[in-house]
Amino acid sequence: VMGGDISAVHLERARKVAARFGLQNISFFHLNAIHRYLELPIFDVFFSIIVLQHNPPPLMAFIIETVLNKLTPGGIAYFQIPTYIMNYAFSAAEYLAGEHPLGKVEVHCMPQSTLFDLIDRTGCKILEIREDGAVGALAISNRLLVKKRENQGSSGRSGA
C-alpha cells in the first residue's frame, strides 16, 4: 500500500496510525513537488477525493495524466474533480502574475471534454461517472471510476 500527501503533518499522522496498528506494508510519499509524482512507482489502484480541485488546471492535468500513466494494465482509479464552476475562467499568465496568500483555499475545475480526452490519451476508459456535491451549488463536481485498458502499458496508448 502506498499513501501520498502534500502535507508532511498528515503523512506523519498516517505513519503513527499504521505503527499503532502494526501495519508494515505501507510506503508513504511526500508529494510536495511536481517531480515527486514522476518518482511514484507503478501501482494498481489510485484514490483521491477533494484534492485535485485545489490545484490550477495545468497542475490537475499533470497529476491526473501522470497517475493514470502509472496504472498497471487493468488497474483502476477512483477520483473526484470539479468539471464546471459558474463564472470560472483560468488564465495561466494571470494566475502566475497574481498573489496567492498562504491559507487562502483555491478551487479550480477542468472541463469534462478536457478530462475525457486526457483519460483516453492515457489508455484508460471511464467505467462510471457521477455528479457529487463536493464543490457546492454553483459548480459541478464528478466522481469517476476509470480503468486502464488491459492491452496498455504504463505509458499510455499503444500505436494502434
Side-chain angles (χ1 to χ4, degrees):
V1 175
M2 297 182 299
D5 203 301
I6 193 170
S7 168
V9 172
H10 288 128
L11 287 173
E12 186 55 33
R13 285 183 187 166
R15 281 186 189 94
K16 288 179 180 176
V17 169
R20 184 173 63 217
F21 288 99
L23 304 173
Q24 299 176 6
N25 64 337
I26 304 172
S27 301
F28 295 96
F29 292 88
H30 192 195
L31 298 170
N32 61 338
I34 289 176
H35 74 274
R36 297 289 290 151
Y37 286 90
L38 298 171
E39 295 169 356
L40 289 171
I42 304 301
F43 46 82
D44 299 317
V45 178
F46 171 75
F47 177 86
S48 175
I49 302 295
I50 312 177
V51 172
L52 294 167
Q53 65 201 34
H54 300 299
N55 297 285
L59 188 52
M60 275 190 217
F62 172 82
I63 292 169
I64 294 169
E65 184 170 13
T66 302
V67 165
L68 295 182
N69 275 328
K70 289 190 174 281
L71 279 176
T72 57
I76 60 169
Y78 182 77
F79 60 96
Q80 171 269 334
I81 186 168
T83 54
Y84 173 82
I85 300 173
M86 187 177 287
N87 300 318
Y88 177 86
F90 181 81
S91 160
E94 288 177 21
Y95 183 81
L96 292 172
E99 292 185 25
H100 306 284
L102 288 176
K104 182 180 180 228
V105 177
E106 297 181 28
V107 178
H108 300 278
C109 65
M110 175 183 290
Q112 263 190 2
S113 61
T114 302
L115 178 61
F116 291 173
D117 287 345
L118 193 153
I119 290 167
D120 184 59
R121 189 171 63 246
T122 57
C124 295
K125 65 179 180 178
I126 297 171
L127 299 179
E128 287 283 336
I129 182 170
R130 301 281 183 198
E131 289 185 12
D132 65 22
V135 188
L138 300 179
I140 296 173
S141 175
N142 297 118
R143 291 186 186 215
L144 294 95
L145 178 62
V146 172
K147 182 178 181 180
K148 184 74 150 200
R149 293 183 183 98
E150 295 285 345
N151 61 349
Q152 301 298 312
S154 62
S155 61
R157 299 188 77 177
S158 63

